[in-house]
Amino acid sequence: KAGVTQTPRYLIKTRGQQVTLSCSPISGHRSVSWYQQTPGQGLQFLFEYFSETQRNKGNFPGRFSGRQFSNSRSEMNVSTLELGDSALYLCASSLDARQFEQFFGPGTRLTVL
Amino acid sequence: DQQVKQNSPSLSVQEGRISILNCDYTNSMFDYFLWYKKYPAEGPTFLISISSIKDKNEDGRFTVFLNKSAKHLSLHIVPSQPGDSAVYFCAASTGNQFYFGTGTSLTVIP
């Protein structure tokens, strides 16, 4: 069974640009969560999608948005990039909402110059 | 506001000895706790979990202890092996979302 895949793996953008990251969950998984990992901050929860609906949202500004498609694939968008947005963005999938075991992808490393 | 804290950024242990990784939390509503292991260039992988109704869960060389009165959990690895060298994250859940600690980098010295 293929694991969680994220594309692209690495991305370099400049301030003010926007970016879209993609996540394909494990086949059959319907819940997708996004996290931001920065040094010293650990993993910070961005949002969770289940059956194309945003179920939960973390404490991030509105520049961070996402969506989920009918095949459970998810995208995350960050508009008007800031230097502080440089981070590893991780996607995790689980079978259902409130499923405690999440499976993580390798992440997308975003660098904002 | 960090609701889950791992106060030791790094830990070094000799091969064969016990590794003890610690985690503290502040939210008494957390009802499920997990440990993840992360190698460089890979996403975290689930290691072991414990429900708030238990105080210990064991899986092979890995044991997680939960002390609810102290709001503290720990992961014991016995015996430690060089392949255990990785960053370990603890996480806690209210059922709605996960809160992660900042991670402890474990180095097992052969």
Side-chain angles (χ1 to χ4, degrees), chain B residues 18-35:
Chain B
I18 183 171
S19 294
I20 300 176
L21 295 98
N22 294 304
C23 182
D24 296 298
Y25 62 95
T26 57
N27 190 342
S28 57
M29 299 301 292
F30 287 143
D31 58 3
Y32 207 76
F33 303 87
L34 309 91
W35 284 94

Side-chain angles (χ1 to χ4, degrees), chain A residues 19-62:
Chain A
V19 67
T20 299
L21 312 181
S22 181
C23 171
S24 292
I26 291 172
S27 177
H29 284 196
R30 296 189 295 162
S31 174
V32 173
S33 297
W34 287 90
Y35 295 87
Q36 180 195 66
Q37 185 187 0
T38 53
Q41 289 293 315
L43 279 72
Q44 303 285 311
F45 173 76
L46 280 153
F47 25 67
E48 179 198 3
Y49 286 88
F50 177 75
S51 291
E52 302 178 66
T53 302
Q54 188 180 87
R55 201 173 80 90
N56 287 298
K57 190 177 191 307
N59 191 25
F60 276 81

Side-chain angles (χ1 to χ4, degrees), chain B residues 25-57:
Chain B
Y25 62 95
T26 57
N27 190 342
S28 57
M29 299 301 292
F30 287 143
D31 58 3
Y32 207 76
F33 303 87
L34 309 91
W35 284 94
Y36 284 84
K37 178 177 172 179
K38 185 179 186 298
Y39 292 117
E42 295 181 13
T45 54
F46 170 76
L47 197 55
I48 192 168
S49 63
I50 188 168
S51 162
S52 61
I53 63 173
K54 294 187 174 181
D55 53 22
K56 177 182 172 182
N57 188 26

Side-chain angles (χ1 to χ4, degrees), chain A residues 9-10 35 37 40-45 48 55-58 88 90 98-107, chain B residues 1-2 31-32 34 36 38 41-46 49 87 89 93-103:
Chain A
R9 292 293 310 277
Y10 301 92
Y35 295 87
Q37 185 187 0
Q41 289 293 315
L43 279 72
Q44 303 285 311
F45 173 76
E48 179 198 3
R55 201 173 80 90
N56 287 298
K57 190 177 191 307
L88 179 68
L90 291 160
R98 292 187 64 85
Q99 186 78 16
F100 290 113
E101 187 173 341
Q102 295 182 319
F103 295 83
F104 282 84
Chain B
D1 179 29
Q2 199 75 20
D31 58 3
Y32 207 76
L34 309 91
Y36 284 84
K38 185 179 186 298
E42 295 181 13
T45 54
F46 170 76
S49 63
V87 177
F89 291 96
S93 173
T94 58
N96 286 324
Q97 65 171 273
F98 287 90
Y99 296 84
F100 282 79
T102 51

Side-chain angles (χ1 to χ4, degrees), chain A residues 40-106:
Chain A
Q41 289 293 315
L43 279 72
Q44 303 285 311
F45 173 76
L46 280 153
F47 25 67
E48 179 198 3
Y49 286 88
F50 177 75
S51 291
E52 302 178 66
T53 302
Q54 188 180 87
R55 201 173 80 90
N56 287 298
K57 190 177 191 307
N59 191 25
F60 276 81
R63 300 186 296 107
F64 292 81
S65 63
R67 58 179 176 168
Q68 186 181 34
F69 301 94
S70 58
N71 62 358
S72 293
R73 190 177 72 84
S74 177
E75 285 182 349
M76 190 193 101
N77 186 77
V78 188
S79 62
T80 321
L81 283 166
E82 300 176 359
L83 296 179
D85 296 333
S86 295
L88 179 68
Y89 290 87
L90 291 160
C91 161
S93 77
S94 59
L95 206 53
D96 283 302
R98 292 187 64 85
Q99 186 78 16
F100 290 113
E101 187 173 341
Q102 295 182 319
F103 295 83
F104 282 84

